[in-house]
Amino acid sequence: MIESVGLTKRYGATLAVDDLSFSVRSGTVTGFLGPNGAGKSTTMRMILGLDRPTAGEVRIGGKLYRELTHPLRTVGALLDAKWVHPNRSARSQLRWMARTNRLPEARVDEVLDIVGLTAVARQRAGTYSLGMSQRLGIAGALLGDPEVLLFDEPVNGLDPEGIHWIRRFMQQLAREGRTVFVSSHLLSEMALTATDLVVIGRGRLISQGPTAEFADSASGAVVQVRGPHLGELADVLRQAGLAVVDVPAEAALHVSGSSTEHVGEIAAANGLVLHELSRRGSSLEEAFMEITKQDVEYVTGATA
Amino acid sequence: MNLLAAERIKLFSTRSPWWCTAVAIALVVGGMALLAASAPADIGPIPTWVTSQFLQFGMVVVMVMATVSVTTEYRFSTIRTTFQAVPNRTAALLAKTAVVGIVATIAGLVSAFGGWAMMALLRPDPALALTTDAQWRAIAGAGPAFLVAAVLAVAVGILVRQTAGAVALLLVWTLLVENLIRVIPDVGPLIYQWLPFTNIMNFLAGGSADVEEEVGVMALTPWASLAYVAALAGGLLVVAIVTANRRDA
């Protein structure tokens, strides 16, 4: 549905997005994950034709954004809830948007109702709380009943109730068969809502695929072993072909790609005493930080 | 038509365009009333072109309204929502220019005729009759004069994008720079003839002996002045729209 090929954006000396290729499947919630400053918002703006790519292109259903007639009917987006005139009412904001894409005025009241802003629709948008602004932004995104929805960090700064609302809302949109592309810097958030993930760091693609797969490969569970003869233990484990990392801080070894059973049997066969034998799954968040950190280091090394 | 309607909703759903338009009209009408009421009776008939002196203040206020209608879109990033809804930026910006231009034309006509009516009311005088071409031009000409001024201001707004910068540029240019250029020795009077607001004023008030005494004989006839400024405004608008198409929103 959304197809990015070699998308690149350069601002002066900074490369914000670097040869980024990915695709977003129809009818899924796809998370767009990356640390702050990874180029997520820039990519979103390029999808909407607001920023011009330095190289490459991004197509929606085979078309460039500017080729869409009445684009709000195909793509709805909430990039920033603050993109409203503070002295204009929510209703007026939606009314002018509706007019540009030949949408009936009744649709304005419909979307106001969907997001629950009907009662305050005639108030100036400047008086809204962040949560209300976010709802207004979502109303604007839904205005054209679009097949594709883009959200940039929709839960940022919201209170728990607002977060819960947005989360359920995105899941509902996906159930309706829409394509949702939502960015976040929180993997835990994406793990709850997204079925697919596009992960970027420093403007480059790190991985793309189903969320579960990413979580599995990223979580990199290790077996932690402690004992009085760590040096010998490390040797025999390595001889058995396992990857062993010495973790002096915990006076332990971390063995990856193995199980507690396997490590325990090797230790017993060599007559080595163990004080601890346990499975340590790093959290998704840690794994994500680990992965993006590597990317950051790689990029810095390459440009230095 | 839909784009024009959308821009109309945008312009009139905030209060400042209403205020600016009202202030512009009040300045001209009020100024004329004040002049008519305070001018000594023995000064003789007040010529119609005097309205142009007040119209220029109203025009400056309308220009502020025009440029701010663009710069606030950049200030609050609603320009991004606009370009997202209408990826054809040229169409979106032309629609905005048209709506602002229509409002400016109406403001110009209302203030000029209002001012003239005030004068006619307070100083009934045969000299105020709208009979000659020059008299009609001084009053009805406010429509096209305000229109080209507003188009110039919209173009400046698109190019500068910041309210403070655009407003400061317009105010300093209209109220100060053009007058300063005039007093530059030798070349000043030559350049002055080709400055936009001097030509708008020449369109409104030019051709009369009094005005020529004050600013010197202009190179262009009043109607040529209007055509010249219209071309300038159109040209600047083209530059602004081309720039907006190239830039990231």
Side-chain angles (χ1 to χ4, degrees):
Chain A
M1 196 67 215
I2 303 175
E3 192 82 42
S4 162
V5 181
L7 203 60
T8 303
K9 181 70 189 181
R10 181 183 285 281
Y11 296 106
T14 335
L15 202 53
V17 175
D18 184 5
D19 193 22
L20 185 61
S21 300
F22 63 88
S23 56
V24 175
R25 288 189 297 135
S26 275
T28 58
V29 177
T30 299
F32 191 27
L33 195 60
N36 287 331
K40 301 189 296 292
S41 300
T42 306
T43 304
M44 291 252 181
R45 285 201 302 274
M46 286 194 282
I47 295 174
L48 294 173
L50 294 176
D51 284 15
R52 268 145 226 282
T54 310
E57 60 175 30
V58 55
R59 287 175 180 271
I60 299 147
K63 284 184 175 176
L64 294 173
Y65 189 86
R66 66 168 180 272
E67 293 168 357
L68 299 168
T69 31
H70 301 317
L72 297 184
R73 293 166 182 237
T74 311
V75 186
L78 167 57
L79 294 201
D80 189 330
K82 288 285 155 212
W83 289 358
V84 289
H85 193 302
N87 291 334
R88 186 177 287 134
S89 73
R91 200 159 184 286
S92 298
Q93 160 84 5
L94 295 172
R95 271 182 67 222
W96 77 252
M97 286 175 71
R99 270 319 268 272
T100 57
N101 278 243
R102 286 177 187 268
L103 295 161
E105 191 139 344
R107 180 65 187 160
V108 169
D109 297 315
E110 264 174 51
V111 292
L112 281 167
D113 196 46
I114 292 173
V115 301
L117 282 182
T118 307
V120 292
R122 285 171 200 278
Q123 273 180 30
R124 296 187 300 117
T127 64
Y128 289 4
S129 67
L130 179 61
M132 286 159 84
S133 303
Q134 210 85 4
R135 283 166 188 253
L136 172 55
I138 288 176
L142 294 176
L143 202 56
D145 196 15
E147 203 187 327
V148 182
L149 286 146
L150 304 185
F151 296 113
D152 194 9
E153 302 270 5
V155 300
N156 243 15
L158 290 188
D159 56 11
E161 196 193 317
I163 293 175
H164 185 61
W165 184 80
I166 297 255
R167 218 181 261 163
R168 275 191 326 180
F169 201 83
M170 282 193 296
Q171 283 158 352
Q172 191 199 319
L173 291 171
R175 270 201 302 279
E176 292 168 6
R178 297 178 212 264
T179 306
V180 182
F181 190 46
V182 53
S183 80
S184 178
H185 61 279
L186 299 172
L187 178 56
S188 53
E189 183 59 39
M190 289 295 93
L192 286 170
T193 42
T195 49
D196 284 9
L197 282 183
V198 172
V199 185
I200 67 168
R202 286 280 173 110
R204 290 160 172 262
L205 183 71
I206 294 175
S207 95
Q208 152 151 41
T211 309
E213 221 169 77
F214 179 77
D216 282 350
S217 72
S219 65
V222 293
V223 175
Q224 172 159 307
V225 217
R226 291 195 302 118
H229 313 292
L230 282 186
E232 290 163 54
L233 187 60
D235 289 342
V236 295
L237 289 171
R238 286 199 181 103
Q239 276 161 24
L242 297 174
V244 180
V245 178
D246 194 9
V247 187
E250 299 200 35
L253 297 178
H254 282 176
V255 187
S256 52
S258 186
S259 62
T260 48
E261 290 86 346
H262 190 46
V263 173
E265 279 158 16
I266 293 171
N270 291 278
L272 294 167
V273 175
L274 299 185
H275 290 167
E276 182 189 346
L277 178 61
S278 63
R279 190 170 180 81
R280 282 282 176 96
S282 60
S283 73
L284 281 181
E285 219 58 62
E286 284 166 358
F288 172 54
M289 266 157 56
E290 192 59 33
I291 284 173
T292 48
K293 193 183 82 194
Q294 281 167 2
D295 183 71
V296 166
E297 281 165 0
Y298 168 67
V299 171
T300 330
T303 50
Chain B
M1 272 328 276
N2 284 295
L3 294 187
L4 290 177
E7 289 298 334
R8 192 201 68 223
I9 296 170
K10 242 193 251 178
L11 190 64
F12 289 118
S13 56
T14 60
R15 273 173 296 183
S16 76
W18 289 105
W19 278 110
C20 282
T21 310
V23 165
I25 295 169
L27 266 179
V28 181
V29 178
M32 292 293 283
L34 211 63
L35 178 79
S38 62
D42 59 0
I43 198 174
I46 298 169
T48 315
W49 60 263
V50 163
T51 39
S52 70
Q53 301 301 306
F54 294 94
L55 280 173
Q56 64 180 333
F57 296 118
M59 193 167 72
V60 167
V61 177
V62 165
M63 288 176 76
V64 169
M65 182 272 289
T67 206
V68 164
S69 77
V70 181
T71 54
T72 49
E73 286 234 42
Y74 281 99
R75 164 74 178 82
F76 298 114
S77 292
T78 50
I79 195 75
R80 291 182 168 146
T81 316
T82 301
F83 291 158
Q84 188 192 323
V86 188
N88 182 347
R89 297 182 183 185
T90 304
L93 292 171
L94 282 179
K96 180 180 285 296
T97 311
V99 169
V100 170
I102 290 167
V103 173
T105 306
I106 294 170
L109 290 174
V110 169
S111 50
F113 279 99
W116 172 79
M118 198 57 84
M119 197 80 139
L121 212 69
L122 296 171
R123 292 279 288 246
D125 193 322
L128 272 174
L130 290 178
T131 45
T132 66
D133 279 356
Q135 285 167 333
W136 271 106
R137 182 156 43 80
I139 303 299
F146 276 45
L147 171 64
V148 291
V151 172
L152 270 173
V154 165
V156 168
I158 296 172
L159 286 168
V160 177
R161 289 186 285 184
Q162 279 158 8
T163 302
V167 169
L169 179 65
L170 287 172
L171 291 183
V172 169
W173 181 271
T174 50
L175 301 177
L176 199 67
V177 173
E178 291 210 359
N179 290 315
L180 285 180
I181 286 175
R182 200 174 135 200
V183 298
I184 297 173
D186 302 329
V187 288
L190 288 174
I191 304 171
Y192 183 68
Q193 309 243 332
W194 299 98
L195 297 177
F197 296 95
T198 308
N199 276 286
I200 292 180
M201 283 306 127
N202 185 47
F203 166 65
L204 286 173
S208 72
D210 291 350
V211 173
E212 275 168 13
E213 193 181 314
E214 195 191 331
V215 302
V217 180
M218 293 283 290
L220 297 174
T221 64
W223 284 100
S225 276
L226 178 68
Y228 168 69
V229 185
L232 270 186
L236 195 63
L237 185 65
V238 168
V239 171
I241 289 176
V242 168
T243 310
N245 271 297
R246 289 204 182 143
R247 273 193 307 221
D248 290 336

